[in-house]
Amino acid sequence: MDITVDHDVEAVMRDGTVLRADVRRPPAGTGPGPVLLARTPYGKDDPGVLARLGPAAAVRRGYVVVIQDTRGRFASDGDWEPLVNEYADGHDTVRWASRLPGADGRVALFGPSYLGHTQWAAATDRPPGLVALMPEFTWSDPRQGLVARDGVRETGLITQWTLGLGAEVLRRRGADARVTAELDAARVALDTPGAAGDRHPPVLRRLPVPGRPDGPALRGVSPADVPTFTVAGWYDAFLQGSLDNHLMARATGHPAALVVGPWTHADQPALVDGDRTLEELRLDWLDGVLGRTATGPEPLTLVFVTGADVWRRLERWPPPATEAAWFLRGSGALSPAPPGADEPPACFAHDPANPVPVRGGALLLTDAYPAGPFDQRAIEARPDVATWTGPPLTSPLEVAGRITAVLTAASDGPAAWVARLCDVHPDGTSINLADGVARSAGTGPQEVRVDLWSLAHVFRAGHRLRLQIAASAHPRWETTATPGERRVHHDPSHPSRLLLPVLN
């Protein structure tokens, strides 16, 4: 199929700044078609961006595909300020794209990660012509998963992301070779476990960082009055934000599709629920939304259930469930039975000079710290990690929804509490499923609620549940630099527990 590509097509924003896009069109004579628009800070010509977006498949269906560099990036003019300009620029770009030659006036937005954020930002003021959003792997409130998590800074994520974008920033500023070399060295150090100062390289002060105290206020997304198709991954750093966005979109009454797979942020989802690719599933849905099929959009809530390793179609997310409490016991057990009297607290020391390393999970760090499921036994063997383990299950236990660890915790001062749920196999392998972090301010016993986000998982018969508690997860979270003892209480007056949404 002959695809026409126009490069560096200019769009003028309301303040006069020129942004540039590549526009792909089907062959002449196919008639006007809807526009699929993606806005990216990673380069509209980047092979990885193009592989993820797959514009050719949409053009073959008659869509006009527009991929634009955001303000201050690559071919576009202006200054790069993360998150700041996507609201006005997105609104203006949708209006511009709807009037392009070969466009029929309707614009749908698509793309993952920051490209997903640009969709929600553009939709905030409901630009005319906008008909659908299709975000993947995208946060909702940047203070929950992007720059921080329940008040604990996401230092590892923000540092690697800012350094990764830094080369283009320094190039546009005409930085000398010394500064460029400093950036390269910082990126190498960041990918070297245990490197000193790897989370606060001096070159970071030269680069725009989202959420810095002297930066602009961070904004969460607002409901979009259009249909949405949301894609999330169980091991993506923005898992809960994606799910929250879906729930917000569903509440508008518009069609709201959801696909959640066993993916990390870097994964390129392939086949989904049989022999359809995610790209085909998404375009089929969009064709239905736009009235290009006789049946309309497919009602879709498709979730991959880990443990059972099957795709499951649900009526809605989360499915109806019963909250079950598993109590932390003084013996190191995790039990549905509440604690008895005289069960002593679990105690462990926190040494900021020797933090607990992160091993997998729903994260976005460098290649030295991959996301996903990993055996946690080496982490659990450390003296600064406390664990509670349930008995072997006599029948499968299916959990689907939001998970919370409620701790009665004490420390020698302000502290961070990292909680991680694991599935322990009969051979002893302990696989991470979900984790979270929270802060405590005082010293005496106090309730600390750790949000572990969500999952859909089957603990098979013979497997055991395990909860880890630690005071750090290096280099992911900016936990306290104060050493000292940490205590988790579990007695009738201080019932620390794990709350699970159990399916009947």
Side-chain angles (χ1 to χ4, degrees), residues 7-11 17-22 40-45 67-78 168 171-172:
H7 296 279
D8 294 332
V9 180
E10 295 186 352
T17 302
V18 175
L19 308 187
R20 296 177 178 85
D22 292 345
T40 176
Y42 305 116
K44 59 185 174 58
D45 303 314
I67 305 176
Q68 181 189 69
D69 285 334
T70 55
R71 181 183 293 246
R73 302 296 295 171
F74 300 95
S76 289
D77 297 345
E168 171 65 6
R171 182 192 69 79
R172 294 169 76 102

Side-chain angles (χ1 to χ4, degrees), residues 154-157 160 358 363-371 474-476:
E154 288 273 6
T155 305
L157 189 162
Q160 67 87 13
V358 68
L363 48 78
L364 179 56
L365 301 175
T366 65
D367 291 343
Y369 303 94
H474 181 81
R476 181 177 184 179

Side-chain angles (χ1 to χ4, degrees), residues 262-393:
W263 305 313
T264 71
H265 194 77
D267 283 342
Q268 176 71 57
L271 294 180
V272 177
D273 189 31
D275 58 357
R276 276 201 289 180
T277 66
L278 182 61
E279 183 177 66
E280 292 168 337
L281 201 65
R282 183 176 56 221
L283 289 175
D284 288 346
W285 177 86
L286 183 59
D287 284 345
V289 165
L290 299 180
R292 307 176 89 209
T293 64
T295 57
E298 177 184 0
L300 187 65
T301 303
L302 184 60
V303 171
F304 187 85
V305 181
T306 57
D309 296 338
V310 295
W311 287 99
R312 186 164 294 160
R313 289 177 177 263
L314 305 175
E315 290 188 9
R316 59 193 293 139
W317 177 266
T322 301
E323 184 176 85
W326 285 63
F327 293 91
L328 284 60
R329 304 295 299 271
S331 60
L334 188 64
S335 170
D342 302 324
E343 295 194 17
C347 302
F348 59 92
H350 168 59
D351 180 2
N354 182 28
V356 179
V358 68
R359 175 71 168 152
L363 48 78
L364 179 56
L365 301 175
T366 65
D367 291 343
Y369 303 94
F374 288 93
D375 188 356
Q376 300 290 307
R377 283 179 290 185
I379 301 298
E380 293 164 352
R382 292 175 58 108
D384 51 358
V385 177
T387 62
W388 291 262
T389 307
L393 296 169

